[in-house]
Amino acid sequence: MLKKLSLLLALSLLALGGLAQAQRTPKELFEGEVLAPEFPADLDWINVDNPLTMSGLVGKIVIFDFWTYGCINCLHVIPVLEQVEQKFADEVVVIGVHSAKFENEGQTENLLQIVQRYGIRHPVINDNEFEVWGRYGARAWPTIAIVDPRGYWVIRQSGELPFEVFDNYLSGMIAYYDEIDAGIIDRRPVELALEGAGDPGTLLLYPGKVLADAAGDRLFIADSSHNRIVIADLTTREVLDIIGSSARGKDDGVFENASFDKPQGLALAGDLLYIADVNSHAIRVADLAERTVTTVAGTGEMGRSRHEFGAPITDPLSARLRSPWDLEFDDLGRLHIAMAGTHQLYVYEPETGVLYPSVGNGREANLNDVRLADSELAQPSGLYYAGEGKLYFADSESSTIRLADFENDLVTVVSGTTNNHLFQFGDIDGELGLNRLQHALGIEGGPNGELFIADTYNSRIKRIAAGETATHTIFGLGGLGGYVDGEAAVAEFDEPGGISYADGILYVADTNNHVIRAIGLAVGIVDTFAFSNPEALVIERAALTILGGNQADDAVIELERQQVAPGAGAITLLLNFPDQYKINPLIDSLLAVRSEDSQLSEAVVGEREIRLAMDWAEGEGRYTADLTLFYCREGEEALCFIEEVNWIIPYEGVGDSDQSEVGLYREIVAPAL
């Protein structure tokens, strides 16, 4: 055992790096000296029924992962920790400490969706006030801290750490404690409630990018968390084909057997559809005629270093890439790649098979008005080629839209902060220099030279008119996002991540709503892209959710002004279902009431009639009641329908009113299949 421990110690010292570690004894390396601080009492927890305590975790090796969900380097840590959890399931507990950079990331509801999107199976804390962050002295995303099984904090390390580092160190720590006292490590499981482990049963699952092909009358959808590409007819909205088995992986082959891992960007060249397969760190190609998938770049393993600007990679299949996020062809037939993980843009030449970094030196920053080679990017995630050597890109972590001008060898800003800053963001329309975006992921051009922006964390679609420098919101109410079709004045999105234009329509991947939205620019109307044959997308392991029969008829209903007595009262909802239909017990339906600036109350809808207690104020006011209803036919819970309704409730609290309740009613119309 001593020989084995000496070897593990040597590996641990090597993995942790630095000559200063070389003189440390096993006791110094594996035993902390400072008792790990307890968690603040007011934090929201995900994936556990009750908040954990450090005193209750004594006996476990605890790994803290300090992260924020828009950070690509943080996302790289998630699969590494998944490996740790699999190998050291009995000894280790991982706790994600989410300390949000952006306001949108700090909302527990949004964080829960990210936990679900990435299949995170360990407890996650919403540390949006940076309380835990401060107690552990974190300074950057990502940061890892480790607590020994006695409850003492022993290590804090910033940056991405490969699995080998964790493997070597944890193996050494476990061997050390088993040798000094076999009873110190508690190998009993920690009870979890995995909110992020289930599929919500939606038709699409966190679609990331979308590509409209006007010439072929097709819509290509990166159904990212279903690990597949959906092809639909633009006119009939019929599902034409599916690329991928929906299994997570990097298997080439025929469409039915091929696998992907969180695919995003799409680019079309004839019958070849190029796919940015983010978590496979590869560029894949689907031959639409032969119905086969092959890989043209990437080994499937994530690279640990960036490639030098302009240096050709003559064998792209041997290159370790880092999270390619979007793709775009130029008029010379070159494929541009937003390589989010190295903070660079790349070019792939299909004819020669050569790959090389084309924009950015790889340092994560927001440096503009410099040559392509000297520019510094921050997680580029969306691309649009406008011709004449001009490639626009959504630089998400700098919250900007930037222009790489290949003819003039120059990178500039066209929307968002111009101050070479990574922490100047917001939701401000207006002239360049004053306007602000928030983690924009999508950029697209229109027929008249205008630019359209998916301003993701503001849940808005914005526009820069041709020849102008100002950015303006055209669709989306912003805030925390929502899901409402209709005119610009009412339409809502929830973290849209992709955008594509064809024949007067903007197609938007409305990621957190699990749908594609179609914006008719001439009429100014948003509607949901409802598939005409949704059964084609059923995944056997999950329920399918499609739009209800009267979803688009009157999704926003404004009541006449209600006179109510100030004080205790209620809002009641009555649902009327057709025969043989019921509320789906497998998915929570919700009724929530909110004011303009805050959420007031929320309840799970389990019966056809529900009552929410209210406290009516004196004078005039206005509330909104939001219903998200999942229902199905009796005995057919695998096919679930969704009804989204928003009631606007103007009221007046008057002392002589004898009414204390406001009633809402919804007639459910069964969809025609």
Side-chain angles (χ1 to χ4, degrees), residues 314-374:
T314 56
D315 182 13
L317 287 173
S318 68
R320 293 188 176 186
L321 308 180
R322 282 173 63 85
S323 301
W325 206 276
D326 201 14
L327 305 173
E328 179 81 340
F329 275 104
D330 64 19
D331 46 17
L332 298 177
R334 300 178 302 181
L335 182 69
H336 295 271
I337 304 168
M339 199 68 72
T342 62
H343 313 293
Q344 293 172 300
L345 305 185
Y346 276 47
V347 163
Y348 172 71
E349 298 177 351
E351 289 190 5
T352 64
V354 172
L355 176 75
Y356 54 90
S358 58
V359 180
N361 61 19
R363 179 175 177 267
E364 184 179 13
N366 179 18
L367 182 60
N368 302 288
D369 301 315
V370 294
R371 298 169 60 238
L372 301 178
D374 300 325

Side-chain angles (χ1 to χ4, degrees), residues 565-588:
I571 290 177
T572 60
L573 170 65
L574 178 63
L575 300 170
N576 188 21
F577 290 92
D579 291 342
Q580 300 182 330
Y581 282 83
K582 65 175 185 178
I583 296 171
N584 192 332
L586 303 179
I587 308 174
D588 282 346

Side-chain angles (χ1 to χ4, degrees), residues 511-633:
T511 303
N512 282 359
N513 283 323
H514 312 293
V515 294
I516 305 302
R517 314 289 288 282
I519 303 176
L521 294 175
V523 295
I525 298 292
V526 177
D527 83 294
T528 298
F529 191 95
F531 297 95
S532 61
N533 57 336
E535 66 279 1
L537 293 175
V538 173
I539 299 173
E540 186 175 344
R541 66 176 183 271
L544 167 68
T545 301
I546 64 177
L547 291 173
N550 62 343
Q551 166 66 26
D553 294 345
D554 51 358
V556 179
I557 303 168
E558 183 161 359
L559 305 183
E560 295 182 356
R561 186 175 302 280
Q562 307 288 307
Q563 286 197 341
V564 293
I571 290 177
T572 60
L573 170 65
L574 178 63
L575 300 170
N576 188 21
F577 290 92
D579 291 342
Q580 300 182 330
Y581 282 83
K582 65 175 185 178
I583 296 171
N584 192 332
L586 303 179
I587 308 174
D588 282 346
S589 297
L590 295 174
L591 177 66
V593 176
R594 55 186 167 90
S595 62
E596 289 185 359
D597 55 0
S598 64
Q599 186 89 354
L600 299 179
S601 58
E602 181 178 270
V604 174
V605 181
E607 303 291 337
R608 295 181 178 231
E609 186 169 353
I610 186 172
R611 184 177 188 274
L612 274 181
M614 297 292 297
D615 187 11
W616 302 106
E618 291 187 1
E620 295 185 357
R622 180 185 177 95
Y623 291 144
T624 300
D626 304 316
L627 172 67
T628 303
L629 176 69
F630 298 93
Y631 67 99
C632 57
R633 191 175 293 160

Side-chain angles (χ1 to χ4, degrees), residues 63 238 263 294 312 431 588 673:
I63 298 176
E238 176 188 6
T294 56
E431 282 293 332
D588 282 346
L673 296 178

Side-chain angles (χ1 to χ4, degrees), residues 1-10 26 30 171-173 175-176 179:
M1 173 63 78
L2 286 174
K3 184 176 181 181
K4 179 181 179 183
L5 181 55
S6 297
L7 175 60
L8 288 171
L9 174 59
F30 299 129
S171 296
M173 177 178 275
Y176 172 76
E179 182 167 324

Side-chain angles (χ1 to χ4, degrees), residues 327-552:
L327 305 173
E328 179 81 340
F329 275 104
D330 64 19
D331 46 17
L332 298 177
R334 300 178 302 181
L335 182 69
H336 295 271
I337 304 168
M339 199 68 72
T342 62
H343 313 293
Q344 293 172 300
L345 305 185
Y346 276 47
V347 163
Y348 172 71
E349 298 177 351
E351 289 190 5
T352 64
V354 172
L355 176 75
Y356 54 90
S358 58
V359 180
N361 61 19
R363 179 175 177 267
E364 184 179 13
N366 179 18
L367 182 60
N368 302 288
D369 301 315
V370 294
R371 298 169 60 238
L372 301 178
D374 300 325
S375 63
E376 296 175 351
L377 318 184
Q379 203 172 312
S381 304
L383 299 173
Y384 164 65
Y385 184 72
E388 298 181 346
K390 291 180 170 53
L391 180 67
Y392 292 89
F393 60 98
D395 201 46
S396 61
E397 277 295 281
S398 66
S399 295
T400 60
I401 303 298
R402 299 162 74 179
L403 170 62
D405 187 336
F406 286 87
E407 289 193 359
N408 294 300
D409 191 17
L410 185 67
V411 172
T412 56
V413 180
V414 297
S415 185
T417 178
T418 58
N419 295 327
N420 298 335
H421 206 293
L422 292 180
F423 287 83
Q424 289 185 347
F425 49 82
D427 187 4
I428 303 173
D429 286 347
E431 282 293 332
L432 178 63
L434 298 177
N435 63 46
R436 293 290 182 269
L437 308 174
Q438 190 174 188
H439 200 83
L441 291 176
I443 178 67
E444 174 66 313
N448 301 311
E450 66 269 58
L451 296 174
F452 298 103
I453 301 166
D455 192 4
T456 306
Y457 285 1
N458 286 323
S459 293
R460 286 182 156 169
I461 307 302
K462 297 186 176 181
R463 177 177 180 267
I464 304 174
E468 297 185 9
T469 56
T471 301
H472 296 288
T473 299
I474 55 172
F475 289 94
L477 300 186
L480 301 182
Y483 181 19
V484 179
D485 282 345
E487 299 178 352
V490 299
E492 292 187 86
F493 302 84
D494 195 346
E495 293 195 11
I499 187 168
S500 186
Y501 172 87
D503 292 335
I505 298 176
L506 275 179
Y507 295 91
V508 178
D510 195 7
T511 303
N512 282 359
N513 283 323
H514 312 293
V515 294
I516 305 302
R517 314 289 288 282
I519 303 176
L521 294 175
V523 295
I525 298 292
V526 177
D527 83 294
T528 298
F529 191 95
F531 297 95
S532 61
N533 57 336
E535 66 279 1
L537 293 175
V538 173
I539 299 173
E540 186 175 344
R541 66 176 183 271
L544 167 68
T545 301
I546 64 177
L547 291 173
N550 62 343
Q551 166 66 26

Side-chain angles (χ1 to χ4, degrees), residues 56-119:
L57 289 170
V58 170
K60 294 292 187 184
I61 300 170
V62 182
I63 298 176
F64 290 99
D65 173 28
F66 292 89
W67 65 301
T68 184
Y69 72 70
C71 157
I72 192 66
N73 306 92
C74 300
L75 298 183
H76 288 164
V77 174
I78 292 174
V80 173
L81 292 176
E82 185 178 358
Q83 289 180 273
V84 169
E85 291 171 293
Q86 290 171 353
K87 180 164 184 177
F88 302 102
D90 296 333
E91 300 89 0
V92 171
V93 172
V94 176
I95 297 178
V97 183
H98 190 270
S99 307
K101 172 182 176 179
F102 296 98
E103 180 182 356
N104 208 56
E105 295 174 331
Q107 306 301 316
T108 299
E109 182 179 349
N110 289 343
L111 178 56
L112 176 58
Q113 296 198 71
I114 288 294
V115 167
Q116 183 179 74
R117 188 187 309 185
Y118 289 98

